[in-house]
Amino acid sequence: MLAAFAAGFVDSIAGGGGLITVPALMIAGINPVAALATNKVQGLFGAGMAAFNYARAGHVNLRRQLPAALVSGAAAGVGAWLASSLPVDVIRLGLPVLLIAVAAFFAFRPGLDDIDREQRISPTVFMFTLVPFVGFYDGLLGPGTGAFFMLGFVALGGYGILKATAHTKLLNFASNVGAVLVFATTAKPLWITGLCMGAAQMAGAYVGSRLAMSIGSRVIKPVLVIASTGMALKLIADAMGL
């Protein structure tokens, strides 16, 4: 639950909470498949709390974003359903490069702040291209989902950092719902553990999202860079057997 609180805090700001909770579950002796499924259960509550906080403060219009959320959830369900039959190990090998690229974008791209900029693609195109792709990936594997959504909203949607974070948590919540619905029947998550961690996730997400809204890009950018780099290093260490 302590790990879940920390993960909820980090995840509500920049994503990457699974980097904390999945190792914690496995250290506790839970097998990898059940750990991944349980992680989706507890992550659902943190993402939901963060999305609710951002929406209540007016940073995301839930009704307007409902179609994109449904697309994200459906794609994640498909990804979770195919998780046992697709070469996820091959996909995992390329993730460190992508995550380091995301970290570099937010660390070195000048002028990134909370002010919206010109859109590069329309919301409809965004919803039917990047949203299902990232949602599918979240159900299939998961690490870095928030960072990939953030990159899309900022680089393609023209969103400011805070607005991108708010919309990311909504779509991440939807993808968690889709994945949990499938994992509930295929992977046997530990429900009591997941629900207890979910309560801690909600507390951490509440604190993190409130901090993000009060400080904005000044806290979101460095946390995003650190989280993305940390995930990349963790994946490299796992691949090397360290």
Side-chain angles (χ1 to χ4, degrees):
M1 289 179 69
L2 289 172
F5 178 88
F9 178 84
V10 172
D11 209 49
S12 67
I13 297 174
L19 182 68
I20 301 171
T21 49
V22 172
L25 287 163
M26 296 182 69
I27 289 171
I30 300 172
N31 72 73
V33 175
L36 289 173
T38 305
N39 180 63
K40 283 297 181 187
V41 173
Q42 61 91 37
L44 176 69
F45 292 90
M49 172 57 76
F52 173 77
N53 260 357
Y54 288 126
R56 186 173 60 176
H59 296 293
V60 58
N61 186 316
L62 293 180
R63 183 175 298 178
R64 186 176 300 171
Q65 293 300 315
L66 180 60
L70 292 174
V71 170
S72 179
V78 174
W81 182 55
L82 294 175
S84 61
S85 58
L86 291 180
V88 294
D89 289 337
V90 175
I91 299 172
R92 188 178 286 113
L93 291 176
L95 280 180
V97 176
L98 293 176
L99 289 168
I100 290 172
V102 171
F105 175 85
F106 284 99
F108 301 114
R109 177 72 177 267
L112 291 181
D113 50 32
D114 295 324
I115 299 174
D116 289 351
R117 287 173 171 75
E118 183 180 355
Q119 294 180 347
R120 294 182 181 273
I121 61 175
S122 71
T124 301
V125 173
F126 186 90
M127 180 174 66
F128 287 111
T129 54
L130 187 133
V131 171
F133 179 80
V134 178
F136 177 83
Y137 164 76
D138 191 29
L140 182 70
L141 202 56
T145 298
F148 297 143
F149 271 135
M150 279 286 293
L151 180 63
F153 278 121
V154 173
L156 300 176
Y159 288 15
I161 298 292
L162 179 57
K163 184 178 178 181
T165 301
H167 284 70
T168 288
K169 296 325 299 176
L170 175 61
L171 297 190
N172 206 172
F173 170 70
S175 65
N176 277 341
V177 171
V180 166
L181 290 175
V182 174
F183 281 137
T185 59
T186 62
K188 298 180 179 179
L190 304 181
W191 290 104
I192 295 177
T193 301
L195 292 173
C196 290
M197 293 178 70
Q201 269 266 0
M202 291 177 68
Y206 179 83
V207 175
S209 58
R210 296 291 296 181
L211 179 65
M213 286 186 286
S214 64
I215 301 180
S217 62
R218 288 177 295 161
V219 68
I220 296 172
K221 284 177 61 177
V223 172
L224 179 61
V225 170
I226 293 169
S228 297
T229 304
M231 281 187 285
L233 295 175
K234 176 67 168 58
L235 289 167
I236 293 171
D238 288 346
M240 297 176 66
L242 300 177

